[in-house]
Amino acid sequence: MSYEAGSYDVIVIGAGHAGCEAGLAAARAGAKTLMLTINLDMVAFMPCNPSVGGPAKGIVVREIDALGGEMGKNIDKTHIQMRMLNTGKGPAVRALRAQADKFLYQQEMKLTIEKEEKLSLVQGMVERLIIEDGKCTGVITQTGATYKAKSVVITTGTFLRGEIIIGELKYSSGPNNQQPSVRLSEHLEELGFDLVRFKTGTPPRVNSDSIDYSKTEIQPGDDVPRAFSYETTAYITDQLPCWLTYTSLQTHQIIDENLHRSPMYSGMIKGTGPRYCPSIEDKVVRFNDKPRHQIFLEPEGRNTREVYVQGLSTSLPEDVQKRMLASIPGLENVQLMRAGYAIEYDAIVPTQLWPTLETKKIEGLYTAGQINGTSGYEEAAGQGLMAGLNAALKALGKEQVILGRSDAYIGVLIDDLVTKGTNEPYRLLTSRAEYRLLLRHDNADLRLTEIGAKVGLIKEDRYVAFNEKKRLIEEEKERLKTVRIKPTAEVQEMIASAGGSELKDGIKAADLLRRPEMNYAHIEQIVPSEQPLSEDIKEQVEIQIKYEGYIEKSLQQVERLKKMEDKKIPDNIDYDAINSLATEARQKLKQVRPLTVAQASRISGVNPADVSILLVYLEQGKIARISN
């Protein structure tokens, strides 16, 4: 028996990392929002690695924060360790990574959601969507509650028809033995959505008291205070270390001898797993020439003895897992607390989405996170923010936001999904971005805060501070481009101590800073600024001056691409009427329905000749109407 339970602008189904950002973004953009989750105790739960950030992913977290999202603020409040990766490399690949106190992370995120003014958090399992005249206008829960809405966002993660697999054991379940969502998955099929079966996995968890840390290598956090959020001012200093050990030849032998019991190789697992996060049995088979593999021992929180055995993701039987653990240095007498497992789940084919993350099939219905075929908390959160924001903007009758590939890694992620699709759980990598030098960890606020402020996600005081930061950066860059440094004995000595060649004549400060051995601290010693500058402003000044030529080249490439991005493809185009198109190109263009010529050019199977034909067709104005 159903009953009317309430009416909202936006409903978000799910409260994982995508759902949390979607709900908060929708509410902060001004929409009356409802978040529905199967279990209130699972809000922002980390079923896999208790960490946030890393290569590309850490930049996504900075982008989420720059747009007005929550993940960066939340991990800053709840981490147990933080490190900057790739510090010896260029700024394009530097990334922050934090170990989370997974339980505190959940509690803080749940509290933030509960306190958000226009957001309601309710426990309930959605089983059906309400569709009227091709539009999604609400949802119906297992208990018969009917909620009406102008937009709906599905962020169900790995819960859709989830099945856990450990060895020969297979049972219906969401992650961490939670109740799966079966009927909603069946309902999406009824509505005509193409679903695929994906798989991911987790490693065992073990008791810290049973680990012999003397046989492992300590991995401490950074001494320098670091944060993901541009608003963070209080830093956690009492960090907990992680520990490094390795698999042994005995580990590999145990795996080889039990491959016939692995559901990956027995055929029990049908779903496609993530290539960039393989199970230990997959690593041993694929890289059989390697004598050992890294294993990181990562605490799950301050108030638990559970340790996450990073690098040992597996679905082998429990008895094999115990033997495998005992063969690893430091884990000879370890106590297994939770066995590793694989989980299979349904995902939708993401080429069924517009770049706004609205589904092409049903207006007002959005999807975000692992349901779209991605892996990782950060990828999910980035999508969640954009889907929640766009669902709110649509509900409020405002123009939606699409991030370009040159704007953000989030833009690269979404464009890859909706344009190319994915045949495996998608992971964001720095190599997927053409404009890595523009999409840096350090400049996410300069790229995206303006957008966040425009849609109401960035508060006024933060926006004022952001504009002041921009002003100070530009002023300092201009100062360094005009002030000259004379070749005094003091200057020559400093340059020599940095490993540089002496000056023959006076030089502008900016030109001296461009030398590879020089940094802003050197320049500051010689010609200090008249006003105090924060470290992030100094960092920006140094990067922008040092890499000015490379950045300018990237911006020129972006400008050239923008001309193609500006060439819109009308909704009513009939690709069958363009006779010269290759058959495969025609099929792909009809499937993806790109919004611009640039997007069309990125579709797999559409080659440059097809793009040229499409351009000629558009410029001639020969747009054939789709017959009713």
Side-chain angles (χ1 to χ4, degrees):
M1 188 76 178
S2 64
Y3 71 97
E4 293 292 327
S7 184
Y8 296 84
D9 292 318
V10 176
I11 292 173
V12 177
I13 303 170
H17 303 283
C20 289
E21 296 295 346
L24 287 166
R28 290 168 179 172
K32 183 185 176 187
T33 305
L34 171 69
M35 281 177 68
L36 289 164
T37 178
I38 293 173
N39 185 348
L40 282 180
D41 298 328
M42 295 290 285
V43 172
F45 180 66
M46 294 179 163
C48 205
N49 197 332
S51 72
V52 166
K57 292 166 176 278
I59 301 174
V60 168
V61 181
R62 293 278 275 185
E63 292 174 350
I64 290 166
D65 183 74
L67 287 163
E70 197 62 31
M71 181 175 259
K73 294 187 189 72
N74 207 58
I75 190 63
D76 285 352
K77 288 187 283 186
T78 61
H79 67 271
I80 57 177
Q81 186 194 104
M82 197 168 293
R83 298 174 70 188
M84 181 68 81
L85 308 180
N86 300 328
T87 51
K89 298 181 180 178
V93 292
R94 287 175 205 156
L96 203 52
R97 184 183 186 275
Q99 283 299 130
D101 184 321
K102 66 187 274 186
F103 308 104
L104 191 56
Y105 186 93
Q106 283 181 264
Q107 291 165 12
E108 281 293 327
M109 186 66 87
K110 182 169 180 273
L111 183 61
T112 299
I113 288 165
E114 289 166 346
K115 287 161 67 177
E116 189 64 42
E117 192 179 343
K118 287 181 173 282
L119 184 56
S120 301
L121 179 63
V122 174
Q123 185 163 293
M125 182 188 286
V126 173
E127 294 194 333
R128 294 186 70 80
L129 305 173
I130 301 169
I131 310 296
E132 296 172 345
D133 299 324
K135 296 181 181 179
C136 187
T137 59
V139 303
I140 304 170
T141 71
Q142 190 179 44
T143 57
T146 299
Y147 296 95
K148 300 304 291 277
K150 297 172 185 172
S151 302
V152 173
V153 186
I154 304 178
T155 67
T156 44
T158 60
F159 279 81
L160 284 186
R161 251 188 317 224
E163 289 183 306
I164 280 181
I165 305 155
I166 306 171
E168 295 89 0
L169 175 67
K170 185 175 188 176
Y171 56 94
S172 179
S173 175
N176 203 39
N177 286 329
Q178 291 296 306
Q179 190 178 357
S181 176
V182 177
R183 291 194 178 175
L184 180 59
S185 191
E186 293 169 349
H187 181 54
L188 289 172
E189 281 186 322
E190 289 168 15
L191 292 172
F193 285 100
D194 292 330
L195 303 182
V196 289
R197 200 78 173 147
F198 279 168
K199 171 232 127 177
T200 188
T202 70
R205 273 71 158 183
V206 299
N207 191 315
S208 178
D209 292 340
S210 62
I211 297 172
D212 182 354
Y213 287 107
S214 68
K215 296 182 179 178
T216 67
E217 300 168 33
I218 192 167
Q219 304 284 302
D222 288 349
D223 294 332
V224 183
R226 300 196 187 277
F228 278 100
S229 175
Y230 289 93
E231 293 189 52
T232 295
T233 53
Y235 299 93
I236 293 170
T237 53
D238 58 329
Q239 301 187 68
L240 300 183
C242 296
W243 306 83
L244 173 64
T245 183
Y246 296 88
T247 58
S248 64
L249 291 175
Q250 188 188 353
T251 316
H252 299 191
Q253 188 178 344
I254 291 166
I255 292 168
D256 284 335
E257 289 170 356
N258 288 278
L259 275 179
H260 64 285
R261 299 181 66 194
S262 165
M264 277 188 61
Y265 292 93
S266 68
M268 184 182 283
I269 289 177
K270 301 287 193 292
T272 306
R275 185 189 324 181
Y276 300 103
C277 188
S279 67
I280 187 63
E281 49 265 44
D282 203 20
K283 281 193 275 193
V284 167
V285 170
R286 282 165 54 189
F287 308 108
N288 58 13
D289 57 321
K290 284 199 169 187
R292 63 180 192 171
H293 295 281
Q294 285 187 329
I295 301 293
F296 289 95
L297 305 174
E298 302 173 342
E300 296 228 314
R302 294 184 188 275
N303 298 308
T304 178
R305 306 311 290 158
E306 269 191 90
V307 171
Y308 182 92
V309 188
Q310 158 83 307
L312 207 72
S313 178
T314 184
S315 56
L316 282 162
E318 195 173 295
D319 62 298
V320 179
Q321 292 189 36
K322 286 188 173 184
R323 288 169 54 206
M324 203 161 59
L325 285 165
S327 69
I328 295 170
L331 307 183
E332 292 87 350
N333 299 303
V334 83
Q335 179 199 341
L336 174 67
M337 294 181 74
R338 302 187 201 218
Y341 63 84
I343 184 167
E344 282 191 330
Y345 57 95
D346 286 347
I348 76 161
V349 175
T351 50
Q352 296 169 103
L353 307 173
W354 296 115
T356 57
L357 295 179
E358 184 178 20
T359 65
K360 295 171 181 174
K361 197 173 289 291
I362 296 171
E363 190 181 344
L365 179 64
Y366 297 74
T367 59
Q370 283 185 272
I371 187 176
N372 287 348
T374 55
S375 65
Y377 310 143
E378 303 84 358
E379 288 93 336
Q383 291 173 72
L385 185 145
M386 295 309 298
L389 172 61
N390 282 328
L393 294 172
K394 186 177 182 80
L396 299 172
K398 298 178 181 178
E399 186 182 354
Q400 296 180 71
V401 175
I402 296 172
L403 296 178
R405 297 181 72 89
S406 59
D407 296 325
Y409 270 100
I410 297 171
V412 174
L413 161 68
I414 293 173
D415 184 68
D416 277 353
L417 289 173
V418 304
T419 305
K420 302 173 185 176
T422 184
N423 55 12
E424 63 186 38
Y426 177 102
R427 178 176 180 167
L428 201 50
L429 307 165
T430 54
S431 58
R432 297 192 191 271
E434 306 93 313
Y435 310 110
R436 309 199 265 293
L437 192 53
L438 301 180
L439 309 181
R440 305 186 308 274
H441 163 92
D442 61 85
N443 72 347
D445 60 336
L446 299 176
R447 291 185 275 122
L448 299 169
T449 302
E450 200 76 50
I451 295 170
K454 186 179 176 184
V455 295
L457 302 188
I458 295 291
K459 292 177 182 173
E460 181 63 25
D461 57 344
R462 178 169 173 180
Y463 189 54
V464 169
F466 162 73
N467 280 316
E468 176 65 5
K469 176 182 174 179
K470 277 205 307 183
R471 183 184 70 79
L472 290 171
I473 291 168
E474 290 308 313
E475 281 184 4
E476 182 62 358
K477 280 166 58 184
E478 283 308 306
R479 185 180 78 87
L480 297 185
K481 286 177 181 179
T482 54
V483 67
R484 290 188 73 81
I485 294 174
K486 295 176 181 177
T488 63
E490 182 190 0
V491 168
Q492 300 287 34
E493 185 183 341
M494 188 200 68
I495 292 172
S497 65
S501 55
E502 68 174 28
L503 296 180
K504 305 295 183 193
D505 200 354
I507 187 172
K508 286 180 180 173
D511 291 331
L512 183 58
L513 180 54
R514 287 191 182 97
R515 289 188 174 191
E517 72 277 3
M518 304 304 290
N519 57 41
Y520 183 87
H522 292 127
I523 307 300
E524 196 175 21
Q525 282 179 16
I526 311 165
V527 284
S529 171
E530 291 179 5
Q531 53 190 329
L533 300 176
S534 63
E535 289 305 314
D536 60 333
I537 289 174
K538 294 175 186 177
E539 179 186 42
Q540 271 312 302
V541 170
E542 179 174 329
I543 289 172
Q544 290 187 28
I545 287 178
K546 262 191 185 299
Y547 296 92
E548 190 173 39
Y550 298 104
I551 291 170
E552 189 56 43
K553 279 184 182 177
S554 292
L555 289 171
Q556 287 170 6
Q557 289 177 328
V558 170
E559 204 52 44
R560 284 196 293 272
L561 181 71
K562 197 171 183 300
K563 291 174 183 174
M564 288 178 71
E565 292 287 5
D566 289 342
K567 289 190 184 298
K568 303 282 189 250
I569 300 176
D571 292 340
N572 60 359
I573 190 169
D574 181 1
Y575 290 108
D576 289 327
I578 310 175
N579 298 323
S580 308
L581 280 177
T583 303
E584 183 186 4
R586 185 179 289 111
Q587 289 170 348
K588 291 290 180 70
L589 288 164
K590 285 162 72 174
Q591 178 195 2
V592 175
R593 291 160 65 194
L595 299 179
T596 67
V597 173
Q599 188 188 357
S601 71
R602 294 191 292 269
I603 298 171
S604 174
V606 176
N607 61 43
D610 298 311
V611 174
S612 299
I613 292 162
L614 180 60
L615 276 168
V616 169
Y617 186 79
L618 291 171
E619 283 164 11
Q620 288 175 346
K622 293 181 179 177
I623 306 301
R625 297 272 167 191
I626 298 171
S627 56
N628 294 323

